[in-house]
């Protein structure tokens, strides 16, 4: 029998299968045995590409990081650091909200993951080029990661049930409309993220003016 022209298994195939499993069922659903079944191969064959489940999940997380737009941090990009931070954060959160179950892995930091390290390098490099001291640039990168990953870990609006009787005005006098939040979950969560993001960038702008007297604050354009 002729050998197959393409290998039956590859890192990309394993990551793709693991990513689909994480998206559908969460982190606990991933095991080498389950992945081998999904891929139609023997379990030990996975170890030719990954040593264990943690390495597979790291690769899934890195594949999500690779989806984040970093073009705004290129030296040739005309956006200033404020608009760059804003636009990057929007892109980062969009990638995470497409794959919310992998967020806890990403929240641990980039470790040795190449795409994750490219993200960290791009943010830090852009902030230093803009005039931020290296220590402050590090703080900004950390701050933004906390905010973005935290916003993607869950939905504030969908944390409320759609049962009006759950919010007795005798107990919760200000939650009379809370049962309506879930049906507007996406709008509320995106609005909250945008509000917080602008507050962060505006606050950083004030600090930047103190560090670099004489600069003019150019805030990102308002979104409709």
């Amino acid at each position: 029998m002729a050998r197959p022209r393409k290998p039956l298994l590859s890192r990309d195939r394993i990551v793709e299968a693991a990513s689909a499993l994480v998206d559908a069922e969460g982190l606990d659903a991933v095991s080498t045995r389950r992945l081998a079944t999904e891929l139609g191969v023997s379990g030990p064959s996975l170890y030719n590409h990954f040593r264990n489940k943690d390495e597979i999940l790291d690769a899934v997380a890195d594949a999500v990081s690779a989806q984040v737009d970093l073009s705004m941090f290129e030296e040739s990009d005309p956006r200033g650091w404020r608009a760059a931070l804003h636009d990057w954060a929007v892109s980062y959160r969009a990638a995470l909200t497409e794959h919310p179950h992998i967020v806890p892995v990403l929240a641990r930091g980039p470790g040795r993951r190449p795409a994750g390290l490219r993200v960290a390098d791009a943010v830090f490099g852009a902030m230093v080029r803009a005039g931020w001291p290296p220590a402050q640039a590090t703080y900004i990168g950390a701050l933004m990661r906390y905010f973005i990953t935290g916003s993607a870990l869950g939905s504030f609006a969908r944390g409320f049930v759609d049962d009006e009787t759950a919010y007795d005005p005798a107990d919760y006098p200000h939650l009379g409309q809370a049962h309506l939040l879930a049906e507007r979950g996406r709008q509320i969560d995106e609005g909250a993220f945008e509000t917080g993001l602008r507050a962060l960038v505006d606050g950083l702008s004030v600090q930047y003016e103190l560090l670099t007297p004489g600069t003019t604050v150019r805030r990102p354009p308002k979104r409709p």
Side-chain angles (χ1 to χ4, degrees):
M1 181 181 293
R3 298 181 64 183
R5 299 177 66 182
K6 293 183 179 179
L8 292 175
L9 203 58
S10 67
R11 286 181 63 92
D12 288 345
R13 279 196 66 205
I14 296 170
V15 171
E16 184 179 350
S19 181
L21 199 54
V22 170
D23 287 346
E25 301 181 32
L27 295 173
D28 291 341
V30 178
S31 68
T32 53
R33 178 179 296 180
R34 178 74 183 276
L35 282 173
T37 300
E38 295 286 332
L39 291 163
V41 299
S42 63
S45 63
L46 297 178
Y47 297 115
N48 293 324
H49 303 277
F50 295 98
R51 289 183 297 178
N52 50 45
K53 171 183 171 177
D54 287 342
E55 281 196 358
I56 295 172
L57 291 178
D58 261 356
V60 171
D62 213 38
V64 174
S65 294
Q67 298 173 17
V68 180
D69 182 13
L70 299 176
S71 63
M72 66 287 294
F73 295 129
E74 295 175 1
E75 293 188 54
S76 59
D77 192 283
R79 282 169 283 191
W81 69 265
R82 300 168 184 84
L85 268 186
H86 176 277
D87 294 349
W88 164 69
V90 171
S91 174
Y92 197 174
R93 181 177 181 271
L96 298 191
T97 54
E98 287 293 316
H99 308 280
H101 292 149
I102 199 65
V103 173
V105 179
L106 284 160
R108 297 199 294 260
R112 297 176 181 271
R113 299 193 293 268
L117 289 170
R118 281 193 289 272
V119 171
D121 182 74
V123 176
F124 179 80
M127 295 305 101
V128 171
R129 285 198 309 274
W132 286 97
Q136 290 295 117
T138 300
Y139 300 156
I140 291 171
L143 166 67
M144 297 302 290
R145 184 166 66 82
Y146 298 153
F147 176 66
I148 297 165
T149 56
S151 75
L153 280 172
S155 167
F156 172 83
R158 294 188 177 92
F160 295 86
V161 298
D162 61 0
D163 180 3
E164 186 175 4
T165 64
Y167 308 104
D168 189 328
D171 296 320
Y172 316 107
H174 306 296
L175 296 182
Q177 301 297 307
H179 65 287
L180 302 176
L181 294 178
E183 67 183 30
R184 297 169 51 217
R186 181 172 180 176
Q187 176 187 349
I188 292 169
D189 292 340
E190 289 184 354
F193 178 76
E194 183 66 25
T195 299
L197 178 57
R198 288 189 173 279
L200 282 177
V201 174
D202 285 349
L204 289 172
S205 295
V206 173
Q207 293 187 38
Y208 186 76
E209 289 183 82
L210 295 175
L211 287 169
T212 55
T215 58
T216 301
V217 174
R218 293 185 302 161
R219 293 181 174 84
K222 290 185 177 181
R223 303 279 169 166

